[in-house]
Amino acid sequence: MLITKPNYFDTFRCIAGSCPDSCCKEWDVQVDAASAACYRNLPGALGNRLREVLYDEDGETYMAITDGRCPMWRTDGLCRIQAELGESALCKTCREFPRLTHDYGDFIEYGLELSCPEAARILFASEDAHLVTEEIPGGESPEYDTEAMEVLKRTRKTVLSILSDHSRSVEEALVLALLYGYQAQAELDGGECLSFDAEAALAEARALAKPGDSEAMAEFFQSLEILTEVWRQRLASPSPAVPSEKLRILAQYMVERYWLQAVSDYDLYSRVKFMVIACLLVTYLGGDLADTAQLFSKEIENSAENVDILLDAAYSHPAFTDDKLLGLLML
Ligand code: SF4
């Protein structure tokens, strides 16, 4: 079975008490069934506290946030469950975060979530981030449409090479990634496998581009569920920046994370637009790119509801039409 992961994946170590944000803030942590059963049966003070803070909703169990923090969070920044029972007692969410696992049956892809500040630091500090693949024993039958996956794997390689082509500006690279995404969607829909003509694509983009609307984009994000006050304020008071070369890293991260997921619903293009919109938004909001991208990830990527709304809006919201996205990148 093949395992694919970013080359920086194994360097991640949680910085716990030194973390500037912490995954133990703001979120109600989803607790897997086995851990929830174990926690509810624990004797003593820790068990009593866990029974107070666990609640069930829509068939899932969660740990309720108290005063903006996980109730297991200690003032030294460490987790009470881990301190008293050891790391193996952590629920699946806390044990794995910020590691992402996409198990396709006969291959697995790993990644790190950008919403973790330490993962964001590692990602944006990496000079040569790329995917590495290794073979391990085991594996099951593919659980996906193999033809579609072949298209997605091939086109992902192409878009990653477009994004890492430093002979073009970062804006041009994003324009080309957007237009290539459109071509890749056509291939996924059963169309011919064509070579990508970057010069023709840029000429088409220049002809199509219309003035974009960053304010409308920010207003859209204000309409989504907002977790932190700082994000609300950033959206209300943007500080537009010049597009940074580091946007290539953000775009690459999103391509690696979402491209193959289109095998589940054959909708690649909304994910491509999601990537472009993310790059445009963090640039519009300004500030340190890694910090803004981390906050974006925490607010958007970590909310399945926000991601679903954004993927739909990528097709339907007037601020996200192709011509306006191109305009924001080119005009
Ligand atoms: S956000 Fe990342 S670095 Fe911070 S406490 Fe959580 S896992 Fe550790």
Side-chain angles (χ1 to χ4, degrees):
M1 174 163 72
L2 292 179
I3 301 276
T4 299
K5 58 190 175 185
N7 56 337
Y8 54 80
F9 180 82
D10 293 322
T11 65
F12 174 78
R13 299 283 177 279
C14 172
I15 54 173
S18 310
C19 181
D21 188 357
S22 172
C23 46
C24 311
K25 277 165 63 181
E26 284 111 6
W27 290 311
D28 282 5
V29 172
Q30 187 174 335
V31 181
D32 59 281
S35 301
C38 166
Y39 294 167
R40 283 183 162 131
N41 286 309
L42 267 183
L46 179 56
N48 289 340
R49 182 68 179 130
L50 281 162
R51 280 182 286 280
E52 273 171 17
V53 295
L54 290 175
Y55 70 95
D56 294 323
E57 192 175 287
D58 298 334
E60 304 288 353
T61 301
Y62 296 89
M63 183 109 63
I65 285 292
T66 314
D67 296 331
R69 288 268 182 194
C70 173
M72 295 297 118
W73 185 83
R74 303 192 318 190
T75 47
D76 60 3
L78 299 179
C79 168
R80 186 173 169 191
I81 295 175
Q82 183 165 357
E84 293 187 29
L85 304 174
E87 190 175 351
S88 60
L90 292 174
C91 67
K92 193 166 178 282
T93 306
C94 298
R95 209 166 45 239
E96 293 185 350
F97 185 85
R99 296 169 191 87
L100 293 162
T101 303
H102 294 122
D103 187 343
Y104 293 96
D106 62 336
F107 74 99
I108 297 178
E109 297 224 333
Y110 293 123
L112 291 180
E113 283 204 33
L114 187 51
S115 56
C116 161
E118 178 61 5
R121 188 196 64 74
I122 292 171
L123 174 68
F124 283 101
S126 52
E127 298 278 313
D128 175 34
H130 58 273
L131 294 174
V132 290
T133 299
E134 62 188 72
E135 191 151 10
I136 60 162
E140 292 163 13
S141 306
E143 293 169 356
Y144 51 80
D145 175 339
T146 50
E147 253 179 69
M149 185 59 89
E150 203 184 303
V151 172
L152 290 168
K153 283 185 173 177
R154 176 170 46 74
T155 52
R156 183 172 71 169
K157 267 192 197 157
T158 304
V159 78
L160 288 174
S161 71
I162 288 171
L163 290 169
S164 61
D165 177 0
H166 287 266
S167 70
R168 300 192 182 278
S169 69
V170 65
E171 294 97 323
E172 280 183 345
L174 289 171
V175 164
L176 290 173
L178 182 65
L179 293 187
Y180 180 69
Y182 192 76
Q183 179 174 317
Q185 177 69 64
E187 285 181 35
L188 187 61
D189 293 340
E192 239 185 297
C193 166
L194 302 166
S195 64
F196 183 59
D197 184 337
E199 292 313 322
L202 284 175
E204 189 187 344
R206 277 184 216 104
L208 278 173
K210 285 200 183 130
D213 190 344
S214 298
E215 277 180 33
M217 180 171 63
E219 272 167 29
F220 165 80
F221 281 93
Q222 284 171 312
S223 74
L224 299 181
E225 185 194 12
I226 291 180
L227 209 56
T228 64
E229 202 46 42
V230 67
W231 182 243
R232 193 185 301 283
Q233 284 168 10
R234 296 289 301 276
L235 290 169
S237 309
S239 175
V242 173
S244 157
E245 273 297 309
K246 297 250 176 200
L247 286 177
R248 293 179 197 268
I249 296 177
L250 175 59
Q252 177 184 347
Y253 155 84
M254 296 191 74
V255 164
E256 289 172 357
R257 180 167 177 176
Y258 296 108
W259 199 272
L260 299 193
Q261 289 181 23
V263 80
S264 64
D265 56 8
Y266 303 93
D267 180 7
L268 176 62
Y269 196 53
S270 69
R271 291 173 169 89
V272 177
K273 293 181 85 171
F274 179 20
M275 177 266 288
V276 170
I277 291 165
C279 290
L280 288 167
L281 182 73
V282 299
T283 302
Y284 180 61
L285 297 185
D288 177 82
L289 180 68
D291 292 347
T292 308
Q294 183 262 328
L295 192 54
F296 168 85
S297 175
K298 178 170 177 163
E299 294 280 348
I300 307 300
E301 289 192 296
N302 278 5
S303 161
E305 191 186 333
N306 280 350
V307 170
D308 285 347
I309 295 172
L310 180 49
L311 290 176
D312 285 345
Y315 289 123
S316 58
H317 194 282
F320 301 145
T321 55
D322 293 347
D323 51 3
K324 285 191 182 163
L325 294 182
L326 290 171
L328 289 172
L329 290 166
M330 301 186 92
L331 300 179

